Amino acid sequence: MKNLILFSIAFTFSIFTNYAQPFNKEIIKEGETPMLLGKINKEALSENTYSEWFLTNFETYQPNKEKVEEIKKLLPQYTITAFFGTWCGDSKKELPIFYKVLEVAEFSLERLTVIGVSNDSESYKQSPGGEEEGLNIHRVPTFIFYKDGKEINRIVEHPVNTFEEDILQIIQNKNYIPNYNAVTMVNDALNEMGLEKFKRKSKKLLPKLKKEAKGLAELNTYSSVLFYSERKEEALYIAELNTLLFPDEAYTYENLANKLLASNQADKALMYYEKSLAINPENERVKTAMAAIKQKTAN
C-alpha cells in the first residue's frame, strides 16, 4: 500500500511538472514576433517561421568530417544544455550549426536539452522554468557541457574557432577559454566572495579585467541580467565597476544611471547622467532623462 501511495505521488508530480513546463511553448504578443520559451526540441525549430532560419543554416553548414570523427569517440560521455533566443541573431546563426555538428557526430539528442529564453525586460534572458538560474547565462546562445553531472566548460555566443574545434578542445580537456572571460571572472569572484567582500577586493581585479574585457558591453549585459533577476545591488555595483574599466565611454555611465533611476535613486542617477553627457553632449536620451528627473524634483 505504501509503495502504491508513493507511486501515485510521483506520478501526480510528474504530470504536474510536465503540465507546468510544456515543450515548445510559444509566446505570441500583438505586433511582436512570436517567441519560443522553455524546453524546445528540433521539431519546433523546423516548423513555422523558425524554419526559415533554422533549416537554412542547418542544411547549408558542412562540418569538418575529420574533426567530427574525433568528436564521436568522446562526446557520448557528455550531456549538453543549450540556452538560446528565437529573437537573437547569434542564436539563429549558431544553434542550427551546433545541431548539424551533433547530428553528423551521431550524438543522441536525448542527451541535449535546449532552453529558449526571453528578451522581455521583466524576464531578460530567463526561461519560464528557471533553468538558467545560477548558470550565469548572460549571452545567448550558450552551450554548457556536463560530465557526470558537473559542468566541464561552455561555448558562449559563438565558437572561438569553429564548433568542431571548440568541442574537441573541451572534451579533450584542453585549456579552452570561452568568449567573455571577463564576465566569468567577475561572476566566479562575486559568487565566491559575496558582494561586500567583492567590493573590497574588486579594485585589485581591475588590471586583469582590463586585459580580458573586449568592450563595455560585456559587463553592461551581465549587469542587466543580474538586475532583471532581482539581484539589483550586485547589478548596480557591476555597472559601476564597468565605469572604472571604461571611464571614457559615455554609455557606461548612462547604463548605470538607467539602473539607478529604475531603483528609485534619482539623485545618483542624475550624477551619472551628467558624466555621460559630458562625454557625449548630443545624447538626446540622456537629456530627456535628466529633464524628467529635474522636473519631478522641482514638483
Side-chain angles (χ1 to χ4, degrees):
M1 182 68 178
K2 181 179 178 182
N3 289 339
L4 181 60
I5 293 172
L6 289 174
F7 174 80
S8 177
I9 292 171
F11 182 73
T12 302
F13 178 76
S14 175
I15 293 175
F16 174 78
T17 301
N18 289 333
Y19 177 78
Q21 296 177 291
F23 264 78
N24 306 326
K25 179 180 181 181
E26 185 173 52
I27 302 298
I28 302 175
K29 294 184 179 180
E30 188 175 352
E32 297 183 14
T33 304
M35 179 168 51
L36 291 171
L37 294 179
K39 292 183 178 180
I40 310 297
N41 59 27
K42 187 182 174 186
E43 286 69 29
L45 294 168
S46 303
E47 298 173 347
N48 303 321
T49 58
Y50 311 109
S51 66
E52 295 173 8
W53 52 266
F54 183 81
L55 291 180
T56 299
N57 292 326
F58 179 87
E59 292 167 0
T60 301
Y61 189 71
Q62 298 300 319
N64 183 302
K65 292 182 179 180
E66 291 182 4
K67 288 185 167 55
V68 167
E69 286 301 316
E70 295 183 61
I71 289 171
K72 280 185 184 180
K73 301 171 187 175
L74 294 174
L75 194 57
Q77 302 174 34
Y78 293 78
T79 57
I80 304 169
T81 301
F83 292 87
F84 82 110
T86 54
W87 43 267
C88 167
D90 288 305
S91 293
K92 291 178 181 181
K93 176 187 175 185
E94 307 295 352
L95 184 66
I97 294 174
F98 189 75
Y99 261 106
K100 184 63 170 286
V101 172
L102 295 187
E103 179 182 273
V104 176
E106 299 175 5
F107 182 76
S108 171
L109 294 187
E110 292 183 359
R111 300 182 69 80
L112 171 69
T113 302
V114 180
I115 309 292
V117 296
S118 174
N119 67 338
D120 289 344
S121 59
E122 66 272 15
S123 53
Y124 186 53
K125 292 182 182 170
Q126 298 173 32
S127 66
E131 290 91 350
E132 80 292 338
E133 292 177 9
L135 294 180
N136 188 25
I137 305 302
H138 58 95
R139 294 274 173 170
V140 289
T142 291
F143 306 91
I144 306 177
F145 292 74
Y146 294 92
K147 188 175 182 181
D148 300 325
K150 179 183 178 182
E151 179 180 341
I152 302 303
N153 215 320
R154 59 178 63 190
I155 297 172
V156 180
E157 195 173 63
H158 56 83
V160 175
N161 299 296
T162 65
F163 276 119
E164 297 93 309
E165 292 177 75
D166 286 26
I167 291 171
L168 268 178
Q169 287 188 14
I170 289 172
I171 64 180
Q172 290 176 346
N173 296 315
K174 294 184 178 178
N175 186 30
Y176 176 79
I177 299 175
N179 299 308
Y180 305 105
N181 194 43
V183 174
T184 301
M185 289 173 58
V186 170
N187 185 72
D188 289 349
L190 188 58
N191 288 338
E192 181 182 340
M193 299 178 189
L195 180 58
E196 294 308 315
K197 186 176 180 181
F198 179 77
K199 285 181 178 180
R200 297 194 298 270
K201 302 283 187 179
S202 60
K203 301 295 172 62
K204 293 182 179 180
L205 274 177
L206 282 176
K208 289 184 179 179
L209 289 175
K210 285 181 178 179
K211 290 181 181 179
E212 292 291 337
K214 302 299 187 293
L216 63 89
E218 291 190 44
L219 289 187
N220 271 357
T221 300
Y222 175 59
S223 172
S224 294
V225 169
L226 292 176
F227 192 84
Y228 294 114
S229 300
E230 300 303 322
R231 296 171 62 182
K232 292 187 177 180
E233 191 175 356
E234 293 163 297
L236 290 172
Y237 187 73
I238 298 304
E240 184 179 345
L241 186 66
N242 208 31
T243 66
L244 300 179
L245 284 173
F246 298 96
D248 299 323
E249 297 283 354
Y251 188 67
T252 59
Y253 301 103
E254 182 185 353
N255 178 65
L256 174 55
N258 290 340
K259 290 181 172 62
L260 286 165
L261 187 60
S263 303
N264 299 314
Q265 299 183 54
D267 290 343
K268 280 189 175 181
L270 187 60
M271 178 180 72
Y272 284 104
Y273 279 134
E274 288 171 348
K275 289 187 176 185
S276 179
L277 200 63
I279 298 171
N280 181 12
E282 305 304 318
N283 191 326
E284 294 300 326
R285 292 190 310 270
V286 170
K287 291 179 183 179
T288 301
M290 291 175 66
I293 292 172
K294 290 175 180 178
Q295 183 178 5
K296 189 174 181 179
T297 303
N299 293 337

